[in-house]
Amino acid sequence: MTLKLYDTLTRKKREFTPIDADNVRLYVCGPTVYDFAHIGNARPIIVFDVLFRLLRHLYGEAHVTYVRNITDVDDKINDRAARDYPDLKLNEAIRRVTETTGKQFHADVLALGALPPTVEPRATEHLAEMRDIIERLVRGGFAYVAQEHVLFSPTAMDAARSNRLPRYGALANRSLDEMLAGARVDVAPYKRDPMDFVLWKPSKSGEPGWPSPAGIATLGRPGWHIECSAMSWKHLGEVFDIHGGGVDLVFPHHENEIAQSCSAFGHRQMANYWMHNGFLQVEAQKMSKSLGNFVTINELLTTDIFGGRSWPGATLRYAMLGAHYRQPIDWTLSGLREAHRVTQDWSAFVAKVQPGEVPAPALAALADDLNTPMMIAELHALRKAGRASELKAALGLLGIGPVADETAKLSEPQKLEVEARLTARNAARARKDWRESDRIRDELLAMGIALKDNRDGTTSWEAKR
């Protein structure tokens, strides 16, 4: 079976040839853990989980390394920590936020049927690698120190490019002038050029900080782009097979990753294939809080905010895979209802059979640049033909499974603990202590317990994972 993937860099669908078939390597940009992930965040999680499953199917489970990072140092994390835990030192408050939101994220993506990545590195665990790359860039003349900042110079990269480095802007397919015209760049007096971007910056008073590179005496913290360069290098090497993420990351994030990594290590490329999923809209509108259509994965799984009911993870996953990953997707209630009807029917149809082999037409569809709509059409044909065991195998490759009753698996002591915490939360709500109410809700969610605040004032719960 030949796997073909669309490469954003070359703008072509290319036959996939791994650097080492015994260790196929995939890196995908993961979440910044400061709040519940929204449904748009679920798209790359699901898309690249399908790719991970397909690579394991083609090359063997032991021969694929999937790295999906967690960003745990960010201004949004700092802001929430200060807001939610004003009585704690900021570093302790940040730890509380990232632990809680990290557990929430893991619970949500598990409910969506996503396999855990092979490695899930945290940015704060890779400061040494970040400093190492920054030191290399400064020594090579690609970066410079100014007012306790370290900045990367795309102009210096292009000046040194010749045949050994890529052109800055190749991934976005734009020139420096075009990128400057279309970008929101930080204006700062210490920059030599407006397009220069931050590798390291000084920590403000009260912010978390670490020893700085390049001879800077004060404590500082990394820029966003250097984090992924460091984590991919640590776990996948200087050059690896596939780098993925949302289309919104092409510029500046992925463009800057390429610039940093290639300049530091002297390669023409950071990854041999670049894959990007398209945007998500809700009922034909851009999702935003101002429009009132902003919805999180957890809300879809546990509340009636979208369509008057909560939805199983398998339903959400099917709905997400109904559009080709590179195309925009319109998240609609009608589409979700149809996805629920289909997944419930398929789940019942395959419940009593063992999975067989994935049929060649279904596998060929998926191997054609993850053509999930074509594969789903093949699955409908399997259902119509009564081929339950083959349908079950194909559903496993897509990660669409049955919805289990997890509540029945809880022991009586576990159920009593949940009820005790629920009583405490109800008491907090009665005295309008919303912070304590939210804290208990988040603790229960981290335990895999989803709450539903009903319109009659009562609260119900169920185990979701």
Side-chain angles (χ1 to χ4, degrees):
M1 181 65 64
T2 299
L3 172 61
K4 293 184 177 180
L5 301 173
Y6 183 85
D7 175 25
T8 305
L9 181 65
T10 61
R11 284 151 186 84
K12 294 178 181 178
K13 191 188 296 185
R14 299 168 50 208
E15 183 174 331
F16 176 68
T17 304
I19 298 169
D20 178 2
D22 288 331
N23 184 21
V24 181
R25 290 164 284 167
L26 165 67
Y27 184 92
V28 176
C29 294
T32 300
V33 285
Y34 70 95
D35 207 342
F36 285 101
H38 58 71
I39 189 59
N41 299 140
R43 195 172 195 195
I45 296 296
I46 292 172
V47 165
F48 292 105
D49 180 68
V50 171
L51 177 60
F52 182 36
R53 290 170 181 270
L54 178 60
L55 292 172
R56 284 160 45 114
H57 182 85
L58 296 176
Y59 293 95
E61 292 184 11
H63 302 295
V64 181
T65 302
Y66 175 24
V67 178
R68 187 185 67 216
N69 77 292
I70 286 181
T71 297
D72 58 354
V73 52
D74 184 84
D75 288 338
K76 292 178 180 178
I77 296 173
N78 296 347
D79 292 344
R80 177 164 180 186
R83 183 195 73 196
D84 288 3
Y85 302 99
D87 299 329
L88 295 180
K89 291 182 178 180
L90 184 58
N91 281 353
E92 173 62 17
I94 289 170
R95 185 184 65 81
R96 293 273 189 96
V97 167
T98 58
E99 284 184 354
T100 299
T101 53
K103 288 177 181 177
Q104 291 166 352
F105 171 76
H106 287 132
D108 287 343
V109 299
L110 181 60
L112 294 175
L115 298 170
T118 315
V119 185
E120 192 172 45
R122 286 177 169 263
T124 54
E125 297 170 351
H126 295 75
L127 274 300
E129 289 79 11
M130 295 179 208
R131 286 190 289 264
D132 190 332
I133 293 175
I134 291 170
E135 296 279 5
R136 290 169 185 249
L137 293 172
V138 172
R139 288 196 303 268
F142 301 104
Y144 59 94
V145 178
Q147 296 185 22
E148 299 180 322
H149 290 73
V150 185
L151 297 111
F152 185 92
S153 170
T155 302
M157 174 188 174
D158 276 358
R161 182 162 58 93
S162 64
N163 292 321
R164 67 184 185 91
L165 295 177
R167 177 182 69 82
Y168 186 80
L171 187 68
N173 197 28
R174 288 185 283 179
S175 67
L176 276 174
D177 289 341
E178 289 171 329
M179 286 184 286
L180 180 60
R184 292 181 297 176
V185 297
D186 294 328
V187 178
Y190 48 79
K191 283 188 174 184
R192 296 177 182 172
D193 186 276
M195 282 302 294
D196 295 351
F197 60 87
V198 171
L199 301 173
W200 192 270
K201 57 187 174 182
S203 295
K204 298 175 184 176
S205 177
E207 288 184 341
W210 294 269
S212 298
I216 299 172
T218 57
L219 297 180
R221 58 195 182 109
W224 175 32
H225 314 302
I226 196 67
E227 296 174 9
C228 285
S229 283
M231 288 183 278
S232 63
W233 171 44
K234 170 72 172 181
H235 298 285
L236 298 177
E238 295 178 4
V239 183
F240 51 94
D241 294 300
I242 304 169
H243 195 314
V247 69
D248 55 313
L249 299 181
V250 171
F251 181 82
H253 186 49
H254 288 168
E255 195 75 66
N256 290 351
E257 278 188 62
I258 292 172
Q260 295 162 162
S261 295
C262 291
S263 298
F265 301 115
H267 296 299
R268 288 285 301 169
Q269 193 47 273
M270 176 187 186
N272 286 341
Y273 300 81
W274 288 84
M275 297 178 65
H276 295 91
N277 62 271
F279 287 115
L280 177 141
Q281 293 183 315
V282 177
E283 300 287 359
Q285 291 185 303
K286 181 179 179 181
M287 185 173 63
S288 71
K289 291 181 180 179
S290 63
L291 292 175
N293 64 355
F294 186 91
V295 60
T296 68
I297 302 169
N298 186 260
E299 286 171 330
L300 289 168
L301 291 167
T302 64
T303 74
D304 61 2
I305 192 172
F306 196 80
R309 58 153 299 162
S310 60
W311 302 94
T315 297
L316 302 180
R317 189 178 179 99
Y318 177 97
M320 193 69 75
L321 296 175
H324 192 278
Y325 79 93
R326 287 193 284 116
Q327 300 303 315
I329 186 171
D330 191 13
W331 193 260
T332 65
L333 180 57
S334 61
L336 206 50
R337 286 172 174 159
E338 174 63 11
H340 189 58
R341 183 194 68 76
V342 172
T343 52
Q344 292 298 96
D345 173 66
W346 285 355
S347 181
F349 179 62
V350 304
K352 296 182 180 180
V353 302
Q354 293 297 315
E357 295 293 326
V358 179
L363 184 58
L366 202 58
D368 183 13
D369 192 34
L370 301 188
N371 194 332
T372 54
M374 184 181 293
M375 184 175 184
I376 287 172
E378 294 291 340
L379 302 194
H380 281 292
L382 293 175
R383 173 66 177 93
K384 186 176 181 180
R387 295 159 64 181
S389 63
E390 292 169 292
L391 176 58
K392 192 164 191 174
L395 288 172
L397 188 55
L398 279 183
I400 298 175
V403 180
D405 180 9
E406 298 293 334
T407 303
K409 299 178 183 179
L410 296 181
S411 66
E412 287 305 317
Q414 288 173 318
K415 292 178 182 178
L416 288 173
E417 181 182 358
V418 171
E419 291 293 345
R421 291 180 186 239
L422 188 57
T423 299
R425 181 174 182 268
N426 289 337
R429 285 165 60 84
R431 63 178 184 269
K432 297 185 178 181
D433 187 349
W434 308 120
R435 181 179 294 166
E436 178 66 6
S437 170
D438 289 347
R439 186 191 67 79
I440 296 172
R441 178 204 62 198
D442 291 345
E443 282 187 348
L444 286 167
L445 182 63
M447 295 165 55
I449 305 300
L451 302 184
K452 180 180 179 182
D453 293 321
N454 303 307
R455 292 173 180 171
D456 62 2
T458 62
T459 299
S460 53
W461 65 272
E462 62 178 325
K464 297 296 289 187
R465 359 273 183 216

